[in-house]
Amino acid sequence: MVVTLMRKNVTQDFAGAIFGVSQSTVSRRWDLLRPVIGEVLADVVPDPREVLGGGTVLVDGTVCPTWDWNAVSDLFSVKAGYSGMNLQIAATLDGVLVAVGEVPIHGARHDAHAYAASGLAERLRDLPSVADLGYIGVEGINTVPHKRSPGIDLDPSQVEFNTALGRIRAAVEHAIAHLKTWRMLSEEGGRYRYPISKYESTEAYSGPVK
């Protein structure tokens, strides 16, 4: 029942009707079992190096939508256009999910901040990494596209490099799409509707497991 709530993002009333219990019972089991399952899964989360096998890691951030709580600041992401939590994602060049930052960051914060604050930078330390323009100057990110300066066009070799890098980075979007099959993390799934204080223990499900 708890996994169904996250996978399909149904309301507790609806889950209660499916499983033949009251909404209050659903709520109690949600709070009781969610942290336990997260703790169990933590023991089978592979090291990123084990998943990569010595290759290059692709890094990106995605904003997973939440309700807009007035009491919680910095949730609204201008880039995404809605309130949410920034999850930092690592993927292989084949689009396989490698790791998810353990600490979700409020959606208003830039990827450059969220990369270290989420804990992903530490998990990927010393691994060769590729990211987009949002990670320029970020410690631990090795390769980013060339940025066009105001009034100065990129030269043909820089344009070619950016195009090739864009093709490579497309794989991380596949990893993000796979992550968001957990509908609680997707805009199409209806947004995360529980208190933000419970978000981190919910997001603990989202990384790869052995």
Side-chain angles (χ1 to χ4, degrees), residues 125-199:
R125 185 171 53 176
D126 299 328
L127 289 173
S129 55
V130 174
D132 64 19
L133 289 170
Y135 294 83
I136 287 179
V138 173
E139 184 177 356
I141 298 296
N142 304 116
T143 306
V144 294
H146 293 288
K147 184 177 181 180
R148 179 180 176 276
S149 299
I152 303 176
D153 291 333
L154 298 178
D155 64 45
S157 65
Q158 290 174 322
V159 172
E160 183 179 356
F161 175 84
N162 284 1
T163 300
L165 200 63
R167 293 195 188 101
I168 292 171
R169 286 197 61 265
V172 74
E173 298 298 334
H174 296 301
I176 291 173
H178 175 73
L179 176 72
K180 289 188 174 182
T181 60
W182 292 86
R183 307 299 283 174
M184 187 169 280
L185 301 178
S186 72
E187 187 174 13
E188 296 82 3
R191 299 174 179 264
Y192 177 85
R193 54 172 60 91
Y194 298 94
I196 285 293
S197 60
K198 300 178 181 181
Y199 194 95

Side-chain angles (χ1 to χ4, degrees), residues 5 7-8 57 65 83 87 93 147 197:
L5 284 168
R7 188 77 189 198
K8 300 300 183 182
V57 65
S83 297
L87 299 187
L93 296 178
K147 184 177 181 180
S197 60

Side-chain angles (χ1 to χ4, degrees), residues 17-31:
I18 293 173
F19 289 93
V21 297
S22 66
Q23 182 275 327
S24 60
T25 297
V26 175
S27 180
R28 288 195 299 270
R29 293 299 182 268
W30 164 260
D31 284 334

